[in-house]
Structures are given as structure tokens and as C-alpha cells.
Amino acid sequence: MLAARSSASRDIRSLDGVWSFQLDPDQDAGLDQRWFAAPLPAPRPMPVPASYNDITTDTEVHDHVGLAWYQREVQVPRILGTDRLILRLGSVTHAATVWADDVEVATHTGGYLPFEADITEHVRPGGTFRLSVAVDNRLSWQTLPPGFLATTAAGQTVQKYYHDFYNYAGIHRSVLLYTHPAVAVTDVTVTTGFEGATGIVTYQVEADGAAAVSVRVLDAEGTQVAQADGAAGQVRIPDVTLWRPGAGYLYTLEVHAVAGQGEERTEDVYPQRFGVRTVEVKDAQLLINGEPFYFRGYGRHEDNLIRGKGHDTALMVHDFELMEWQGANSFRTSHYPYAEEVMDYADERGFVVIDETPAVGLNTGIAAGLTGAQAVPTFSPETVNDATREAHAAQIRELIARDKNHPCVVLWSIANEPDTTTPESREYFEPLVAVARECDPTRPVGIVNVIMATPDKDKVWDLLDVVMLNRYYGWYVDTGDLASAEKHLRAELDGWVAMAPDKPIIFTEYGPDTMAGSRDLFARPWSEDFQTAMLSMHHRVFDDYPHVVGEQMWNFADFATAVGIIRVGGNKKGMFTRSREPKQNAFVVRERWLAMRDRLGF
Ligand code: GCB
């Protein structure tokens, strides 16, 4: 899906702000009572975008399971001629039904990707309408991430799930109204390469109702550097400036779609940004522009005080400043697609991104230990099944459709720590890897591997281009015993290198929970000193293995989780606290990463 961009033919209006809000009192009672057909009966204020959970002082809102209703009045812009008016929601977690006045205009499942509705026929230009969104935060075995509802001994319905972050819900990203002409660019795909100093840009445009399509390539200053006619083709950019890690040079493919002639002539203009760069996996290296790339950075979360998972521009820019201060050059969108603004910003700042679907928690084995949830088989007709796989395939398609033109994305992660040790897991994942490759033949594909899926047990590694490992030697295993942890880590790495000598290995998680301010002469677990010791051990090991091409520690910052006896106010594995103060280790890792940046040049 194309991002909403303004242009000579497109206007955008934001509907962000304070909306009316009400919890559905009894599962779906609001639906039966048609709450969308009138102002909400007892509304309270709720900011958009934000998670609703931490905004009010009510436990009921914080712990709500079921539908929550958002509503606001919308002034309809004057619409020119045959222009269309589109409503766009950046993400609603986890599912949404949307009404314009009494008319249902959209439904969407999947809490981290955008959806749209053409509402032209349902509103009056210059008038107003009531916009209602029913937000459903319930997870089932057929959603991603999966979960299930349970009833407590006291009779309360609660949401259980197998992933380690709080089930924040709400309208998490911007709500926009935008216009485009009746003739409309609906999709653009750009792939790039280069020969010597010449950039090669292959493009494909889909446009509704267009008689003619043409493209202009503009450089970062807006100067035209190439041009072509036709809905598909190739253009060459002389003296190209490549998009590189640390130097996010961007071009724009300005797409023109024209219909009609004379008085009847209409034209849509869509500016599609792109960078010229290549990605390839070869000889156990990940190459960007033909050069080996080493990932320095973190798994992250969209998570912060008050706003939960709501997108926040100030926080986004600050987080990038912190990452750059530390010498990081990359991150993973653990464990779901991030806001489009984040992907745009990574493009601009030259950050390298591993882009992940919301397939987290497809592993009842680990989660049983972590959350106290019941241990049932991961793959079975009653749990993760064919319908889940269909939903998973849809998420892969939607993610790639949204993010395919971002130069920052160098690798698709189609799941985090699923069970990959059973024959059923291979049956489940083989077709999904094929879906990813079919949607994007240009980028490598991986699955983030869990500690139980050691080389002797893993059943999917050969389907994938890279080995991505989440390892907690020294924490969940060999707790506090770094000498044994180092032995086990080296032994496992030896196993991967022997089994998959051509595949690069990226450490996508490692590190202990660390209470900020806890110092310990004996560097015992939970202290800042232990975090430094454990990460330093890992880094020493990584440096001995040329197959290791990346270190993304867990996590960039502390984050909220469900309550559990191993979580003290959330997960504390951050390099920074939840309010972004550096822990001691941040300075130690900074020294390492800045030295690497100086040596490698990015
Ligand atoms: C993992 C998960 C991550 C958890 C982390 C932990 O392996 O991928 O979501 O938060 O471990 O801290 O336990």
C-alpha cells in the first residue's frame, strides 16, 4: 500500500487530536446498540494516536479486554471535481471496524499495518460526518500475535498471550484524510542496481483509469536526472549517489498518471522516494552495495511512558539521536512492523533495518515458562493452524506491500522465535518463506531462531538466507556463570558454522535484565555491572567468528510487559531505561561501536 503523500494533485488532512472514547461495557454490546449511529453515550477524552491503556487513571481502561470505541466529528474538505476522498488509518491494534455516520466503510485485522477506505460516496463536501472506530484488542489462535481468552477464578475475562510485551491497544498511528483525482496511482515498485557510476532503476506503476503514465527521477535537490514514459520500465541515473549505511541519500520517482484530454484532462502525481542500493547474501556475508555490512544495534519496541505504542515524533527523533550517539547503524522492528514515519526516517538517516512481521509468540514452549500460560502444542488444529498460516501470509504480503520501496530494509524477518523444531513447523513455514520470496525477490528472508532450536534440532534453517539467533547464555541459561555461558555460546556457534558455512549469522538478541542504578562489585545478575560483563563476553566471542555479521542486543530500552514474577515493572534488558537514561553499559558499548564505525566508515 502506498504511503499518503501530498503532491500537486493530493491534499492531506490530519484527524489526530483528542477524540471521544468509551469502553464497550459487555463484549460487543456497543455493536448491538449501534453506538456508531449517534454520539457515544458516556464519552471521555482520548488522544489519537496513543494506546488507551495508560492514559486514564482507571484500572478498567488499563486492563480492558474487548471493544473500545473512538469517535469524532470530521469537517469534510471541499473536494475538487471528481476527486476521491480517502480515509487512512496508520494502525489500529489489533482489529478495527470503521463507520462514516451510519455506514460501515472499513474493517481490518492486524494491529500494525495501515488500511484505507474510499469514503467519497458517504460524505458531503463542505459538510461534517461522525467518524467511529471500534477497536478490538482480543487475540486468538488465528491472529498475529496469537493469544487466547481465559476466565479467572473471580470470573474476569483476561487476555493471555505468548509474547513478552504488554498488549497495548488503541489507534496507534495517525488517522488521515487525503484526496486524489479519479485517475490515481495505486502502486509503485522500485528496484535498483548500479553499474559503475550509473544507477539503474527498474519501476512498475499501477494506476486506476490512466491512459498514460510517465516518471521523472529527481535527486535530493529536486533536479531531474532521468525521465521515462510508460507504466513499467528502466531508467539510468548518471553519476549516481548510492544510498549507504550512515548516508541515506534519497531520490524521488515522480509518477504522473493522466486520463482524458482538453477540459476533461486529469492527472495524478505521486512522489515515491527510493534509494539506489543493492543487497545480497554471499559467502556468509550480507553485502550492501557489494560490501560486507556488520549490524550494530538493537531489537527495539514501540513503547514509552503514557503513550504506550502510540507513534510520537519527538520520541522517534530522540531514539534515533540516542542510537547514533551510541554508534549503532541498525535495528530490528521487533516484534511487528513499525510506524511508516519510522521507516521513512530510517531511510533518511541511513539506518539499516531488519523488518519483522507481528508473528511473535508462535511457541508455546518458551512462553509457558515465561508467562505461566498453559503448555499446549504450538501447531495443532486447535492452536496455530492453517487459518493462522493464512493470516500470517496476509501479514507478510501487507508488510512487503507497505515497505518494499524503503532502502533501509535489507532483510525480512517473517517470525520471531517460533517453534522450528517439529515437522509441523517446517510444514507451516515452508510456504510462508515462499510467499515472502514471491512478494520480494530482491531481499533475503530469515526467521529469528529461539535458543531451543539449536543446529541439531532446527528444521527450517536451510529455507532461509541468514541465521538470526536470540541467545541468553548467562541469563536464562548458565545464569550468572559467564565462563560456562561463553563455552556454550562458542560450542553452539561452532555447530552453526559447520552446518551452514555459507550463511551469515546475526545475533538478534542477547543480554540480561538490568536494574538501572544497581551496582555490584561482584557483577552479579540484575546489576549494571553484570550487563556490561555479559555483553562484553558476547562481543569477545563475536569478534572471533567471521561468520557473525551482526550484534543487535536486547533491547534498546526497557519496556512494558504483562505482569509476571520474572518481570519487575516490565522487561529491564534495555541499554537505556524506559525514559531513555543510559545504563552504565551504554557507555562501554558506545566505545566499541564508535571504534567500529571509525574503522568501517559507517
Ligand atoms: C526473547 C524474545 C523477546 C523477550 C526476550 C526476553 O527471546 O524474543 O521478546 O522480551 O526474549 O527478555 O526474555
Side-chain angles (χ1 to χ4, degrees), residues 435-449:
V435 168
R437 293 197 191 286
E438 186 192 311
C439 293
D440 181 5
T442 73
R443 287 178 180 87
V445 177
I447 290 176
V448 172
N449 167 292

Side-chain angles (χ1 to χ4, degrees), residues 164 335 416-417 470 472 476 509 554 559 567 571 573:
D164 184 33
H335 295 308
N416 178 73
E417 295 195 348
N470 289 356
Y472 288 94
Y476 294 122
E509 286 184 27
W554 191 250
F559 57 92
R567 295 285 174 258
N571 187 306
K573 296 193 182 66

Side-chain angles (χ1 to χ4, degrees), residues 299 332 354 448 468-470 506-510 552 554:
R332 174 170 60 118
I354 301 174
V448 172
M468 291 192 276
L469 301 178
N470 289 356
I506 306 164
F507 275 81
T508 34
E509 286 184 27
Y510 58 102
Q552 294 188 330
W554 191 250

Side-chain angles (χ1 to χ4, degrees), residues 513 515 526 561 564-572:
D513 280 277
M515 287 303 289
W526 287 97
T561 65
I565 50 169
I566 61 163
R567 295 285 174 258
V568 187
N571 187 306
K572 295 278 191 278

